[in-house]
Amino acid sequence: QEPVDYLKIDVEFSEWAVLEEAMEDQGTLGYIKQLGVEVRSPSVFFDPSADPRRTFVHMFEALHRLEILGFRKFNYRKNPFGSYKSNITGLERSCCYELHYINSHFLSDNFTVVHTKDSKIFH
């Protein structure tokens, strides 16, 4: 029951099931200060006939539940080895992203930077 500084989830196509199970277990993620997850779109590899809209909504809802639990995304990047051309838009996409979250429940005033001098610099 000690806090964990950083947890990386990279479980090759099982990340959605692992995330959902961790979120259902009320206390599990509460001990995690920072969370890194490599996520993939399962429909790209496993079931090309799957409705991509439904898959997207399912993934969005899972990530939204992380935010409800107090996690805030502070970084993300596209995995350059997962590129493919979308059958729908014809645009270059990636099946894989690295997402990084911080658990806001572990933040205190001395870890929060508030810019008040020139707020327009960030707009």
Side-chain angles (χ1 to χ4, degrees):
Q1 297 200 0
E2 293 290 318
V4 174
D5 290 329
Y6 184 77
L7 173 66
K8 169 68 172 172
I9 298 175
D10 185 357
V11 289
E12 307 306 324
F13 301 100
S14 296
E15 60 274 1
W16 298 108
V18 169
L19 268 178
E20 288 188 22
E21 186 173 328
M23 287 187 283
E24 287 177 17
D25 180 9
Q26 295 293 323
T28 301
L29 292 178
Y31 295 103
I32 308 301
K33 292 181 179 181
Q34 293 184 49
L35 175 65
V37 183
E38 183 177 45
V39 296
R40 294 166 182 80
S41 172
S43 63
V44 172
F45 293 103
F46 289 122
D47 188 1
S49 66
D51 181 358
R53 294 170 292 192
R54 188 173 202 172
T55 300
F56 174 77
V57 168
H58 175 76
M59 293 185 299
F60 176 81
E61 288 172 346
L63 296 176
H64 181 66
R65 284 193 307 255
L66 272 178
E67 291 187 5
I68 291 170
L69 292 173
F71 285 86
R72 300 295 178 258
K73 184 170 52 181
F74 69 88
N75 186 38
Y76 71 93
R77 73 176 186 89
K78 178 173 50 172
N79 185 323
F81 301 107
S83 295
Y84 68 96
K85 188 174 183 177
S86 170
N87 293 336
I88 298 170
T89 65
L91 298 174
E92 188 76 17
R93 299 283 187 221
S94 180
C95 67
C96 313
Y97 287 84
E98 297 278 343
L99 307 177
H100 302 98
Y101 290 85
I102 190 163
N103 187 339
S104 63
H105 298 294
F106 284 97
L107 295 178
S108 62
D109 290 340
N110 61 342
F111 294 133
T112 305
V113 177
V114 178
H115 298 279
T116 57
K117 187 172 182 179
D118 186 6
S119 61
K120 293 191 184 271
I121 195 168
F122 298 103
H123 298 288

